[in-house]
Amino acid sequence: MPDFTDALKPAYDGAATLVEERNGSKIDVDELSKHLLSRDGFLERQKRICEVLESEKLFDKSQQMNLSRPDRYHLGLARAKAIRRLVHKHNWGHEDAKMAEYLTDEMSPFHLHLTMFVTTIREQASDEQRAYWMPKIMGWSILGCYAQSELGHGSNVRGLETTATWNPETKEFEIHSPTLTASKWWNGSMGRTATHAIVVAQILVPSPSFPTTLKSHGPHPFIVQIRDTKTHLPLPGIVVGDIGPKYGYASMDNGYMLFDHFHVPKTAMLSRYATLDDTTGTFTKRGHPGLVYGSLTFVRANIIMNARLVLARAVTVAVRYSCVRRQFRDRDEKGEGPEMKVLDYPTVQVRILPLLATTFALHYTGEMMFELYGSTRESIEKGDFSTIAELHSASSGLKSLCTTLAADGIETCRRAMGGHGFGGGSGLVGINADYLSKPTVEGDNWMITQQVAAYLTKKMTIAVEKPDSPPADSVDELFQMYLRERDHRIPQNAIHGTQIDDKAVVEIFQWRAADLTYRAYHARVVEKKPWNSLLIQLHELSRVYSEQILTTTFHRALTSSSSSSLSSPTPSVLRTCFRLYTLYTLSNSPLPFLTSLAISQSTLDLLPDTILSLLAELRPHAVKLVDAWAIPGYLLDSALGRYDGRVYEDLYDRAHRKNDAMNKTIFNVDWRSDEVVLGSGDRGRGILAKL
């Protein structure tokens, strides 16, 4: 209903403010967007798919936050099915369907089917198994999930309790959950959606000499049907369901599942890199032991690549809103001037602008991970497993660091926006809740860093024992250089007055990583300290090494032809981002730089003023830099982060005109009556029925 508020305007014109901000920077936004997001036609695809989704009522986001958790699953399933219909209607390819799910911005109940499920089949099934299963998967006659983590074990895959016992008489495996903690748990799409699952279980094979003695061959993936494809009911011997409410992923049916001596044929065992002889019972593995974790590596690589876009969304909202939002006047300004833009406060800049710089650091590292994963998979298919250890190490360390940066960054942006950051109109409620899973899913961020530390310690041991051997990669080169120079190291000056030496900054991060690796090597290999006593030190080593990767890849990108060919002032602004990211990171943990002799005390003394100068350099370009991430308003779904700056109009519209679930209901607030909705006469039965 129209009322007098329809004619009211905000005290400040947000639209004019953002126009002014954009006019204050000469960055070519379209050019930078193409530089960042041109791979695989991302920008064109995003625009095309977004137009389709916005025209479909089912994909309207205006009321979804008011839905209950069961309703969100219902909506998620309806949308997942609708996307499949749109695929056929518009002849979309696989990347188009992925884009639709990305723009819908909810974890689809079908998500695991075309990620971990199909990836595991593609990478670990034999040619015969691929030929049988891939048509069913790609034809959507079955729906799959990936059942690895359990109620009692997540990151420790070797400790999984579900068993797959080989029966040489029936030529079958018996999958069984011997304990409650063996229950498969957290597995997405499994609770109510999937018909089939990749089940990771401990293979137990009877000894040919002593049939009653079972030998464990470690965890291995099986493809198992868990529901009837017609009735969708669980098969006999399987208990499966949804685990219930959680922080985020309201649309995803994360599930639990237990097996009661469930029989599967031998062909259920994925056998590209493992075989079991029917006659002798001999179990043979081929290739690298890490191949069994191939799907985890795939997901970790994707998480690393997506971290930039997730953080960019939060930073986009924070930058735009902090320019529109005005609070207090400059205390040193005479007279009654206008209130200051919030982003003009250094206390706000120092929280948001380093995160803006971090989005670009994450971007270039994500691109590096994309190339590393692709080249490693090509090598594996050719029988070359030499780069698997590097991939596992990089994906583990970077997954831990990048998700920590993104998750913490989202919350930092929310808090920097003040009270409105807490509301649904911020656009951060869903992304904040959903992304909270990333620091623990697919390997807890504290546990998986042990893989990085073990890899680096091994590499340092080789460098110490064979100092003259030809380096196999850049890690060997770094460690050999460190060992040659460590006894006569001169701490670097990265800042000379107002000048910053970018190459010195890179070397400082690399030296710190090498030094902490050597300390870990000495503690573990030379002093033989218990591994468990070193875990905190090793976690720090993983973070330090991963920060070195971000720094090195960012700097390398700045000197590449694609970056240097950008029109002015974009290359210099990106260099400012590099400097702000690295020096801000340094300032947050200066002690290891100092104790490793990586950096001079004079450089540390100059850091605070240098960071303030970099914030001031970046400030005029902030709005255009977030614009370059080209995040559609449909995806942002944020009143605070609107491209046109109409923040307050949108906030009021959402509250006054679109909040029907609350505002169109008249409540009976008289405590003497048990009626809740005025005039309903239900005596509270409506709410009781939902308890």
Side-chain angles (χ1 to χ4, degrees):
M1 291 289 291
D3 56 43
F4 75 92
T5 61
D6 294 345
L8 294 179
K9 302 293 182 184
Y12 298 106
D13 188 342
T17 298
L18 289 191
V19 168
E20 178 186 37
E21 288 282 340
R22 293 182 176 109
N23 289 339
S25 170
K26 294 184 179 180
I27 286 177
D28 187 328
V29 171
D30 290 339
E31 179 188 62
L32 182 53
S33 293
K34 291 175 183 176
H35 168 74
L36 295 169
L37 303 168
S38 61
R39 178 159 52 81
D40 296 333
F42 182 94
L43 290 170
E44 178 279 328
R45 179 177 290 109
Q46 178 174 259
K47 183 177 183 296
R48 173 167 49 85
I49 302 299
C50 194
E51 289 174 353
V52 173
L53 296 182
E54 287 189 280
S55 68
E56 299 278 342
K57 173 62 178 173
L58 184 61
F59 294 92
D60 179 10
K61 299 179 181 180
S62 61
Q63 297 299 319
Q64 66 184 30
M65 287 188 64
N66 288 321
L67 298 178
S68 67
R69 196 258 154 171
D71 285 339
R72 285 298 302 274
Y73 171 72
H74 293 171
L75 176 63
L77 181 58
R79 285 174 170 171
K81 295 167 67 174
I83 288 175
R84 297 314 310 166
R85 294 193 294 270
L86 290 171
V87 166
H88 290 280
K89 179 180 178 180
H90 297 285
N91 196 29
W92 286 351
H94 177 60
E95 292 300 319
D96 293 331
K98 284 172 58 179
M99 177 61 74
E101 183 179 327
Y102 164 69
L103 292 169
T104 303
D105 192 31
E106 64 182 6
M107 186 55 69
S108 165
F110 288 176
H111 178 75
L112 274 296
H113 179 71
L114 284 184
T115 52
M116 294 191 77
F117 184 70
V118 72
T119 298
T120 305
I121 298 298
R122 186 181 292 122
E123 294 184 357
Q124 301 196 46
S126 66
D127 291 341
E128 294 79 7
Q129 288 172 324
R130 286 180 182 177
Y132 179 80
W133 288 109
M134 289 303 292
K136 296 179 183 294
I137 295 170
M138 304 312 294
W140 292 81
S141 61
I142 65 174
L143 286 169
C145 66
Y146 186 84
Q148 177 171 287
S149 63
E150 297 178 350
L151 183 59
H153 288 87
S155 298
N156 182 15
V157 180
R158 293 185 180 276
L160 295 178
E161 299 173 45
T162 302
T163 58
T165 304
W166 172 246
N167 187 329
E169 295 180 1
T170 62
K171 310 301 182 187
E172 293 178 320
F173 282 99
E174 183 182 275
I175 299 182
H176 184 57
S177 306
T179 63
L180 187 65
T181 44
S183 170
K184 294 299 178 183
W185 200 273
W186 277 119
N187 313 132
S189 303
M190 190 174 74
R192 307 303 299 161
T193 306
T195 61
H196 290 66
I198 299 296
V199 177
V200 181
Q202 302 282 358
I203 286 188
L204 303 179
V205 179
S207 169
S209 305
F210 304 96
T212 58
T213 302
L214 298 175
K215 180 180 179 180
S216 175
H217 294 278
H220 193 82
F222 292 76
I223 184 167
V224 179
Q225 182 174 349
I226 61 174
R227 286 185 173 92
D228 188 287
T229 55
K230 293 182 179 179
T231 67
H232 206 63
L233 293 174
L235 297 182
I238 296 177
V239 170
V240 60
D242 181 272
I243 64 172
K246 46 198 180 289
Y247 259 105
Y249 286 176
S251 56
M252 171 60 81
D253 55 322
N254 295 89
Y256 63 88
M257 180 166 62
L258 297 104
F259 300 90
D260 183 20
H261 302 283
F262 187 78
H263 291 255
V264 298
K266 180 189 173 186
T267 54
M269 185 189 84
L270 298 188
S271 54
R272 189 166 196 80
Y273 301 109
T275 56
L276 180 67
D277 188 286
D278 286 0
T279 305
T280 64
T282 302
F283 182 81
T284 305
K285 287 186 178 182
R286 298 186 302 277
H288 193 279
L291 288 169
V292 72
Y293 309 119
S295 297
L296 277 178
T297 306
F298 167 78
V299 173
R300 287 173 185 169
N302 276 279
I303 288 174
I304 294 164
M305 290 184 278
N306 290 334
R308 56 178 181 161
L309 294 175
V310 172
L311 183 57
R313 284 174 59 184
V315 174
T316 296
V317 174
V319 165
R320 289 175 179 170
Y321 173 65
S322 297
C323 288
V324 173
R325 181 72 163 175
R326 295 173 183 261
Q327 291 285 291
F328 304 106
R329 294 177 173 83
D330 188 337
R331 292 192 178 195
D332 295 325
E333 187 174 303
K334 296 180 180 179
E336 291 295 319
E339 291 185 288
M340 290 177 61
K341 297 176 183 177
V342 170
L343 194 56
D344 287 335
Y345 286 101
T347 50
V348 175
Q349 292 177 8
V350 78
R351 287 180 280 171
I352 294 177
L353 297 187
L355 291 174
L356 173 56
T358 301
T359 62
F360 295 97
L362 292 175
H363 166 74
Y364 294 116
T365 294
E367 291 293 291
M368 179 277 294
M369 178 54 63
F370 175 83
E371 294 173 3
L372 176 61
Y373 181 82
S375 62
T376 302
R377 283 308 313 172
E378 288 181 7
S379 298
I380 290 173
E381 289 300 316
K382 296 175 182 177
D384 178 4
F385 306 105
S386 61
T387 58
I388 286 183
E390 179 189 2
L391 177 63
H392 274 279
S393 171
S395 64
S396 298
L398 289 172
K399 184 269 177 184
S400 175
L401 175 60
C402 294
T403 57
T404 297
L405 290 174
D408 292 350
I410 294 167
E411 177 62 10
T412 296
C413 286
R414 186 193 68 77
R415 294 188 185 190
M417 293 188 295
H420 287 314
F422 189 69
S426 69
L428 298 187
V429 173
I431 187 176
N432 204 1
D434 288 348
Y435 205 77
L436 281 175
S437 71
K438 292 298 183 288
T440 51
V441 75
E442 312 308 340
D444 176 81
N445 276 7
W446 280 79
M447 297 303 295
I448 61 174
T449 54
Q450 294 182 65
Q451 299 177 35
V452 189
Y455 170 77
L456 294 176
T457 303
K458 182 178 180 180
K459 296 284 276 185
M460 182 60 79
T461 303
I462 295 172
V464 171
E465 295 176 352
K466 301 177 181 178
D468 298 322
S469 61
D473 50 36
S474 59
V475 178
D476 289 342
E477 291 177 0
L478 173 61
F479 289 176
Q480 288 178 2
M481 179 275 293
Y482 170 83
L483 291 171
R484 287 193 304 268
E485 300 181 9
R486 63 183 298 267
D487 291 333
H488 44 86
R489 168 71 177 181
I490 299 175
Q492 289 285 302
N493 289 316
I495 305 173
H496 305 273
T498 60
Q499 301 300 311
I500 301 171
D501 185 337
D502 295 334
K503 289 185 178 180
V505 170
V506 174
E507 198 220 301
I508 283 166
F509 275 80
Q510 292 177 341
W511 184 270
R512 179 186 61 152
D515 185 75
L516 265 65
T517 302
Y518 183 81
R519 292 170 188 249
Y521 151 78
H522 197 273
R524 179 62 176 170
V525 179
V526 178
E527 299 179 42
K528 302 192 182 303
K529 290 185 178 180
W531 183 263
N532 200 47
S533 70
L534 300 173
L535 286 183
I536 296 175
Q537 177 181 344
L538 298 178
H539 176 74
E540 177 66 12
L541 169 59
S542 174
R543 182 183 181 100
V544 161
Y545 182 72
S546 299
E547 287 175 346
Q548 175 270 143
I549 293 177
L550 263 71
T551 299
T552 303
T553 54
F554 199 165
H555 183 260
R556 186 183 301 130
L558 294 181
T559 57
S560 69
S561 58
S562 61
S563 293
S564 58
S565 63
L566 293 169
S567 60
S568 180
T570 304
S572 64
V573 174
L574 289 177
R575 190 166 295 277
T576 299
C577 288
F578 165 78
R579 291 169 173 173
L580 181 56
Y581 164 73
T582 53
L583 296 184
Y584 183 77
T585 300
L586 196 164
S587 70
N588 282 333
S589 183
L591 188 59
F593 288 95
L594 199 61
T595 57
S596 66
L597 301 181
I599 195 169
S600 66
Q601 181 63 53
S602 62
T603 293
L604 289 180
D605 293 339
L606 290 170
L607 269 182
D609 287 343
T610 303
I611 289 173
L612 277 176
S613 296
L614 291 170
L615 294 173
E617 282 182 35
L618 200 59
R619 167 66 184 89
H621 306 288
V623 170
K624 278 199 167 180
L625 285 174
V626 298
D627 287 350
W629 285 108
I631 301 170
Y634 175 73
L635 176 58
L636 275 184
D637 191 25
S638 170
L640 305 188
R642 288 179 63 108
Y643 181 88
D644 62 8
R646 293 173 61 84
V647 169
Y648 299 111
E649 297 93 324
D650 196 347
L651 281 174
Y652 185 77
D653 184 62
R654 290 172 184 241
H656 186 58
R657 300 182 183 93
K658 295 180 179 177
N659 190 16
D660 293 350
M662 288 293 289
N663 289 337
K664 287 196 173 181
T665 302
I666 307 300
F667 295 96
N668 185 341
V669 298
D670 186 346
W671 68 270
R672 289 162 293 197
S673 170
D674 53 12
E675 181 185 67
V676 177
V677 177
L678 192 65
S680 66
D682 72 347
R683 302 184 65 183
R685 287 188 293 271
I687 191 64
L688 283 171
K690 296 182 179 181
L691 296 179

